[in-house]
């Protein structure tokens, strides 16, 4: 899960939700299926990020057994830890840059975010608005050929994890 900065977004009506300009995107990615879930944010503050992260987690089926995050203040907050504990989700912190495992943990999400950003840029064209296009672009990205499938057509319930 990551918070993506859209702070360069203009404060126009189309980028407002509930009267507040949305300047961030919360992106939750499933490493196995590559499926992305998103929510717009007006700030990076835990009181805004945590409820939206909880809603994204609650919408997943099956539920994840672990969540890898960076050191974002909201992800380290007691409120986020409560959300994860209530859902029996283990919180793992991304390792410092350069470690092999860290690169592997984030490469699928980073690739999905890159693809999402590219498609969002095309969808909005010259417009400064991005919020109205986000849901459609996420849906389009998730329906791409290699999304929602594991290697060689396997499903996540067939995955075996070794630690």
């Amino acid at each position: 899960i990551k918070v993506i900065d859209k702070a360069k977004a203009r404060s126009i009506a189309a980028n407002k939700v509930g009267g507040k300009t949305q300047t961030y995107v919360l992106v939750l990615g499933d490493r196995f299926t590559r499926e992305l879930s998103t929510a717009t944010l007006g700030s990076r503050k835990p009181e805004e990020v945590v409820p939206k992260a909880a809603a994204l987690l609650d919408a997943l089926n099956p539920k994840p057994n672990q969540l890898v995050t960076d050191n974002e203040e909201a992800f380290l907050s007691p409120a986020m830890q409560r959300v994860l504990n209530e859902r029996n989700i283990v919180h793992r912190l991304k390792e410092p840059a350069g470690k092999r495992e860290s690169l592997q943990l984030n490469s699928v999400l980073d690739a999905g975010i890159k693809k999402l950003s590219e498609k969002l840029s095309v969808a909005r064209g010259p417009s400064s608005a991005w919020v109205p296009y986000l849901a459609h672009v996420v849906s389009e990205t998730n329906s791409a050929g290699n999304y929602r499938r594991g290697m060689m057509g396997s499903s996540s319930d067939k995955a075996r994890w070794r630690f």
Side-chain angles (χ1 to χ4, degrees), residues 17-153:
V17 174
K20 187 173 185 180
T21 300
Q22 303 298 286
T23 52
Y24 301 95
V25 182
L26 180 64
V27 182
L28 176 65
D30 183 313
R31 289 186 312 200
F32 188 82
T33 65
R34 299 175 204 89
E35 188 170 85
L36 301 174
S37 303
T38 62
T40 62
L41 300 166
S43 77
R44 294 178 102 122
K45 294 181 180 175
E47 54 270 17
E48 185 166 357
V49 174
V50 173
K52 290 194 177 184
L56 291 178
L57 289 167
D58 289 343
L60 295 177
N61 187 19
K63 303 283 185 239
N65 60 8
Q66 64 177 313
L67 186 69
V68 179
T69 72
D70 56 18
N71 289 324
E72 181 81 32
E73 176 189 2
F75 301 147
L76 300 176
S77 71
M80 185 67 170
Q81 298 312 305
R82 274 192 303 280
V83 164
L84 296 175
N85 289 340
E86 289 167 1
R87 290 156 181 79
N88 295 317
I89 299 173
V90 175
H91 184 210
R92 292 184 61 194
L93 284 176
K94 178 180 92 169
E95 297 293 326
K99 284 196 171 183
R100 182 173 168 223
E101 183 180 5
S102 177
L103 295 173
Q104 291 173 339
L105 288 175
N106 295 296
S107 62
V108 172
L109 180 58
D110 290 341
I113 289 169
K114 181 179 181 207
K115 188 176 287 190
L116 185 68
S117 294
E118 290 168 352
K119 288 185 177 197
L120 190 57
S121 181
V122 169
R124 70 183 183 90
S127 171
S128 296
W130 62 272
V131 172
Y133 301 100
L134 185 62
H136 173 74
V137 170
V138 169
S139 177
E140 182 182 298
T141 301
N142 286 341
S143 66
N146 64 341
Y147 279 69
R148 307 197 108 222
R149 280 188 231 129
M151 292 178 65
M152 302 174 77

